[in-house]
């Protein structure tokens, strides 16, 4: 038995001893270094870049700008359609602060940075619009990527007939993915083949975008991302470091490495957009929901379309007679937002689960009981059956372990000296499923098996989990399996994102193993599987992971300081491949949710439009001292129709945690916080 066994990461010893190399560590002969010059204005155009002024500086090989850069194919995009953020150095336009406007290439990184700092740049500045609000005149309906706006049932009539109504707005700020490893890429030509080592979440998808951008045959491109120090969505896109490194190596004929500074990561890569969400809930006196309305507004960039699926939980989590949703987009002069861990569902759950807590308060009802009361039998909007649904088990087991039954639901009653103490809960889900992937397994003459799949390990332990999956599918011990991942030449495979990586890769590996088990001929022998057609046969169901998060927090009303001292999460994430790694994933997600609740907030200067805290000194994230006693465990769960019954665990930990913390703060203080983060000035009495 290989599944369900807690095994440490295969690459763990290499990471803790420094033996593992990340993208910026790989030795490359004759290496040159690039340094990106970014715009200091928020909108306008570049009037002049005086390259001659720096040509004589030590080590400089050259400067690329919009006048000399290789031409890129217009209209190229990825998940959300054409993306002009990829069109770097193609004209003199400045669409946002931090836009790359030139690239300096030199013999050393220090020399490249010195030249970039000295490079004279002048601009023609134009009025910018970076102030987010739901009444911004530029607001428009969002692209219906996740389905059209919804209007099921008579909302007004159901609200009028309700015994209790919540009608409130909830706000979340712009947030950065803040991965530990900054973005870095090294590119070079090996004959007519483009090679690159890059920090990304899916080498094959990145290679596909790069192929379209530069008009290269995909077979001539090899992208590797062997070890990645976190991503959380920001490395799911084809980053500026890779595009510009390819330009530079093409122009100067040498391998070129570009590593973004921490500030450049904030300025030039995707973020979670700010939101305002209006929730209206109506329920009978016994807590049965009659009406749910979720209207969300978020910011995007004119450079690229994007949409956050805020109402996902509103459409799936609870039963109600009337359900209405609407998503509005506000184009602003900022870097385009992108999927950040738990996209849509994470800010969406803060609004929905805060409103559910307010509804419980107005009904005088236990918040856990209110959620259990509204458990649906089928998809509330789709009408489809659930493939599996274990939210009730998460709520009930979590409440038991947390000691919820002893809670007095009235606020502001528990005190410890000057501190107010409260507890809160949030339920949540995150969509599950799989995307097409390919895998090959070779039975070797020595009795081992080589597994080849274009999967990505961005710190999640994917290598270790997929080794166990392959061993289980082949019926051998894990020490008989050698796995090869993170290379675009290994074939199409879904990226590490959307909580669908492990599920997609597992399916491909199990199919290849099934083919191999029937082989009795000569060795070595290779079996290859492609799941594209198999996925088309998967029964249409509501497929989700579920969780319930319980939080205990203390509040000092004299200072506004909030301390979360206990978090408990119960999760239904299908069959757990490796409990050690899965727990690490959901605990990390809960820490991210705590960080969202108490710390994370990107701030823009109202006058210039530039971010003012684009580094880890000003953009606060949870540190070790902020992390409380965290308990996470799993309820028995199995996803039918998916090989081995697995689901994704990567994002579900983030989704409900911020609401649970905010609800605990209300219970402690009796004052509802509807804006994140819970800063001192907002909580201070």
């Amino acid at each position: 038995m290989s599944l369900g066994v807690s095994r440490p990461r295969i690459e763990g010893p290499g990471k803790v001893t420094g033996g593992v190399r990340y993208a910026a560590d790989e030795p490359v002969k004759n290496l040159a270094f690039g340094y990106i010059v970014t715009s200091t204005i928020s909108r306008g155009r570049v009037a002049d870049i005086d390259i001659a002024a720096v040509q004589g500086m030590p080590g400089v090989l050259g400067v690329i700008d919009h006048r000399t850069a290789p031409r890129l194919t217009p209209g190229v995009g990825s998940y959300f359609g054409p993306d002009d953020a990829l069109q770097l150095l193609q004209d003199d336009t400045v669409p946002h602060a931090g836009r790359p406007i030139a690239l300096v290439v030199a013999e050393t990184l220090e020399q490249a940075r010195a030249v970039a700092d000295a490079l004279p740049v002048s601009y023609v500045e134009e009025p910018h619009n970076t102030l987010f609000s739901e009444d911004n005149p530029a607001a428009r309906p969002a692209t219906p990527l996740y389905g059209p706006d919804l209007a099921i049932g008579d909302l007004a009539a159901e609200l009028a007939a309700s015994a209790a109504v919540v009608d409130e707005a909830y706000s979340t700020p712009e947030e950065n993915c803040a991965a530990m490893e900054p973005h870095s890429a090294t590119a070079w030509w090996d004959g007519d083949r483009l090679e690159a080592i890059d920090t990304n979440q899916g080498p094959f998808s990145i290679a596909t975008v790069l192929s379209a951008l530069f008009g290269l045959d995909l077979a001539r491109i090899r992208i590797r991302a062997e070890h990645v120090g976190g991503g959380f969505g920001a490395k799911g896109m084809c980053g500026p470091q890779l595009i510009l490194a390819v330009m530079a190596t093409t122009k100067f004929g040498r391998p070129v490495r570009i590593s973004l500074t921490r500030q450049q990561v904030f300025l030039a890569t995707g973020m979670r957009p700010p939101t305002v969400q209006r929730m209206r809930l109506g329920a009978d006196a016994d807590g049965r929901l009659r009406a749910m309305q979720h209207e969300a507004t978020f910011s995007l960039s004119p450079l690229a379309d994007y949409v956050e699926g805020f109402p996902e939980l509103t459409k799936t989590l609870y039963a109600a007679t009337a359900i209405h949703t609407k998503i509005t987009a506000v184009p602003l002069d900022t870097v385009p937002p992108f999927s950040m861990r738990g996209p849509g569902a994470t800010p969406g759950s803060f609004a929905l689960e805060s409103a559910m807590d307010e509804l419980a308060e107005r009904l005088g009802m236990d918040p856990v009981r209110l959620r259990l009361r509204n458990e649906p039998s089928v998809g509330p909007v789709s009408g489809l059956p659930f493939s599996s649904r274990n939210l009730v088990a998460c709520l009930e087991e979590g409440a038991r372990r947390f000691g919820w039954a002893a809670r007095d639901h009235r606020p502001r009653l528990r005190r410890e000296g000057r501190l107010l103490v409260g507890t809160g809960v949030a339920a949540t889900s995150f969509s599950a499923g799989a995307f097409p992937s390919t895998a090959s397994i070779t039975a070797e003459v020595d009795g081992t098996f080589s597994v080849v799949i274009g999967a990505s390990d961005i710190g999640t332990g994917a290598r270790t989990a997929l080794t166990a999956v392959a061993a289980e599918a082949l019926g051998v011990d894990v020490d008989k399996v050698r796995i090869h991942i993170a290379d675009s030449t290994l074939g199409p495979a879904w990226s590490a994102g959307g909580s669908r990586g492990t599920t997609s890769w597992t399916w491909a590996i199990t199919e290849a193993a099934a083919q191999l088990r029937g082989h009795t001929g000569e060795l070595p022998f290779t079996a290859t599987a492609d799941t594209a057609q198999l996925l088309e046969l998967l029964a249409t169901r509501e497929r989700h992971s579920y969780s319930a998060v319980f939080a205990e927090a203390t509040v000092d009303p004299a200072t506004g300081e909030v301390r979360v001292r206990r978090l408990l999460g119960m999760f239904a994430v299908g069959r757990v491949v490796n409990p050690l790694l899965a727990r690490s994933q959901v605990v990390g997600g809960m820490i991210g949710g705590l960080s969202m609740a108490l710390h994370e907030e990107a701030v823009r200067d109202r006058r210039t439009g530039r971010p003012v805290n684009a580094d880890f000194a000003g953009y606060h994230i949870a540190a070790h001292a902020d992390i409380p006693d965290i308990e996470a465990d799993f309820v028995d769960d199995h996803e039918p129709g998916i090989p081995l019954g697995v689901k994704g665990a990567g994002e579900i930990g983030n989704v409900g945690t911020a609401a649970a913390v905010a609800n605990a703060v209300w219970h402690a203080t009796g004052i509802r916080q509807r804006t994140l983060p819970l800063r001192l000035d907002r909580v201070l009495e």
Side-chain angles (χ1 to χ4, degrees):
M1 176 66 70
S2 300
L3 299 192
V5 178
S6 290
R7 291 187 176 89
R9 300 165 192 258
I10 292 172
E11 77 282 8
K15 285 184 173 178
V16 299
T17 59
V20 161
R21 289 171 175 162
Y22 292 86
D25 303 326
E26 287 286 351
V28 178
K29 292 182 179 179
N30 198 30
L31 184 63
F33 293 84
Y35 192 89
I36 300 174
V37 180
T38 58
S39 164
T40 59
I41 66 171
S42 289
R43 188 166 179 266
R45 63 181 181 84
V46 176
D48 184 54
I49 301 177
D50 187 1
I51 296 175
V54 298
Q55 287 284 25
M57 291 184 67
V60 64
L61 298 177
V63 179
I64 304 174
D65 64 14
H66 63 277
R67 297 165 295 190
T68 57
R71 296 299 95 183
L72 301 175
T73 306
V76 175
S78 52
Y79 307 108
F80 299 96
D83 185 352
D84 284 344
L86 302 175
Q87 298 293 316
L88 298 178
L89 308 187
Q90 299 301 288
D91 56 38
D92 62 359
T93 303
V94 177
H96 62 81
R99 174 76 163 185
I101 58 169
L103 178 71
V104 174
V105 181
E107 294 289 349
T108 70
L109 175 59
E110 293 76 13
Q111 289 170 336
R113 183 164 191 166
V115 173
D117 290 342
L119 184 65
V121 179
S122 59
Y123 301 93
V124 175
E125 197 163 359
E126 299 173 4
H128 61 264
N129 179 13
T130 60
L131 185 60
F132 173 70
S133 68
E134 60 181 333
D135 56 359
N136 189 304
R140 62 165 176 80
T143 301
L145 180 66
Y146 300 106
D149 292 337
L150 203 66
I152 295 176
D154 189 331
L155 183 73
E158 296 300 332
L159 287 170
S162 296
V165 173
V166 171
D167 187 351
E168 301 291 352
Y170 305 86
S171 300
T172 62
E174 178 183 325
E175 299 171 47
N176 192 274
C177 292
M180 184 182 297
E181 177 201 25
H183 298 55
S184 180
T186 306
W188 67 95
W189 286 95
D190 183 2
D192 67 347
R193 184 187 183 93
L194 177 64
E195 298 266 356
I197 299 169
D198 181 46
T199 47
N200 65 63
Q201 294 178 218
F204 184 83
S205 65
I206 300 299
T208 301
V209 173
L210 208 63
S211 167
L213 269 178
F214 286 89
L216 296 172
D217 186 343
L218 184 59
R220 293 176 56 200
I221 299 175
R222 185 188 186 193
I223 308 295
R224 286 176 286 160
E226 188 69 20
H227 296 284
V228 180
F232 312 117
K235 295 173 184 172
M237 66 185 78
C238 188
Q241 75 284 351
L242 179 58
I243 297 170
L244 296 177
V246 173
M247 286 184 176
T249 190
T250 301
K251 194 165 185 67
F252 296 106
R254 288 177 57 178
V256 176
R257 173 167 296 160
I258 299 174
S259 299
L260 303 190
T261 66
R262 182 64 64 189
Q263 186 178 60
Q264 288 174 342
V265 172
F266 277 82
L267 292 172
T269 67
M271 42 59 172
R272 196 195 304 279
T275 79
V276 174
Q277 301 175 70
R278 296 190 172 273
M279 297 294 312
R280 297 174 78 191
L281 303 181
D284 291 333
D286 66 355
R288 295 192 183 278
L289 285 167
R290 302 182 70 99
M292 303 175 69
Q293 183 182 30
H294 192 165
E295 295 188 345
T297 303
F298 72 103
S299 76
L300 50 66
S301 166
L303 294 176
D305 213 343
Y306 174 78
V307 62
E308 287 259 330
F310 302 100
E312 177 187 328
L313 276 67
T314 306
K315 295 178 179 179
T316 60
L317 210 53
Y318 304 116
T321 307
I323 301 177
H324 288 215
T325 66
K326 182 180 179 182
I327 308 179
T328 300
V330 178
L332 298 177
D333 299 318
T334 65
V335 65
F338 200 71
S339 299
M340 180 173 166
R341 198 174 191 181
T346 297
S349 73
F350 170 66
L352 174 61
E353 289 301 284
S354 295
M356 284 292 287
D357 204 65
E358 295 204 52
L359 185 62
E361 171 195 348
R362 295 176 194 188
L363 290 166
M365 180 178 288
D366 171 24
V368 170
R369 184 183 168 206
L370 174 63
R371 288 166 172 82
L372 294 173
R373 177 65 56 87
N374 291 286
E375 175 72 5
S377 57
V378 295
V381 170
S382 69
L384 293 170
F386 292 101
S387 58
S388 63
R389 185 176 170 96
N390 279 316
L391 178 59
V392 169
C394 292
L395 282 164
E396 291 181 342
E397 179 61 13
R400 185 190 69 80
R401 296 192 188 192
F402 197 74
W404 188 262
R407 178 188 195 254
D408 189 323
H409 304 304
R410 296 172 295 173
R412 207 178 177 96
L413 292 181
R414 284 183 62 188
R415 290 180 177 270
E416 294 180 5
R418 71 177 188 277
L419 300 179
L420 302 171
V421 184
T423 52
V425 65
T428 193
S429 67
F430 195 81
S431 63
F435 285 115
S437 294
T438 61
S440 296
I441 303 179
T442 300
E444 308 287 0
V445 294
D446 63 358
T448 64
F449 296 86
S450 299
V451 179
V452 172
I453 186 167
S456 301
D457 193 332
I458 60 172
T460 59
R463 282 181 186 79
T464 310
L466 295 181
T467 298
V469 165
E472 181 83 6
L474 292 165
V476 300
D477 292 335
V478 292
D479 60 2
K480 296 292 186 181
V481 175
R482 296 193 297 264
I483 192 157
H484 307 274
I485 66 170
D487 187 328
S488 66
T489 62
L490 301 183
W494 179 244
S495 303
S499 288
R500 284 166 168 77
T502 301
T503 311
S504 303
W505 306 326
T506 291
W507 199 326
I509 288 172
T510 56
E511 287 300 319
Q515 295 178 27
L516 197 61
R517 284 199 305 268
H519 177 73
T520 57
E522 294 184 0
L523 300 179
F525 177 80
T526 299
T528 300
D530 185 337
T531 63
Q533 292 185 338
L534 294 171
L535 281 165
E536 294 177 0
L537 303 176
L538 184 63
T540 303
R541 297 285 187 271
E542 289 263 2
R543 298 183 184 275
H544 307 275
S545 296
Y546 299 94
S547 75
V549 179
F550 296 79
E552 179 178 310
T554 63
V555 180
D556 187 335
T559 65
E561 182 181 12
V562 177
R563 287 280 181 178
V564 176
R565 64 185 186 188
R566 186 183 179 198
L567 283 175
L568 165 68
M570 294 300 302
F571 298 88
V573 293
R575 189 175 181 184
V576 177
V577 174
N578 183 320
L580 177 66
L581 300 182
R583 183 182 181 278
S584 176
Q585 279 290 284
V586 295
V587 166
M590 292 165 73
I591 292 171
L594 179 152
S595 193
M596 176 185 183
L598 300 185
H599 304 295
E600 298 192 42
E601 181 179 26
V603 179
R604 290 184 179 271
D605 186 296
R606 287 176 174 265
R607 183 178 61 85
T608 67
R610 286 180 60 85
V612 298
N613 60 337
D615 53 45
F616 283 164
Y619 184 86
H620 296 164
I621 57 176
H624 192 276
D626 298 303
I627 306 308
D629 174 22
I630 299 182
E631 181 182 353
D633 207 348
F634 306 95
V635 301
D636 288 339
D637 195 29
H638 186 276
E639 184 66 9
I642 302 288
L644 305 182
V646 301
K647 297 180 187 176
E651 291 163 295
I652 188 70
N654 269 68
V655 178
T657 304
V661 172
N663 292 340
V665 169
W666 168 81
H667 188 236
T669 64
I671 301 170
R672 182 66 60 178
Q673 301 292 330
R674 302 187 182 95
T675 299
L676 294 183
L678 307 182
R679 296 191 321 230
L680 302 181
D681 59 307
R682 289 171 176 155
V683 180
L684 179 69
E685 297 181 16

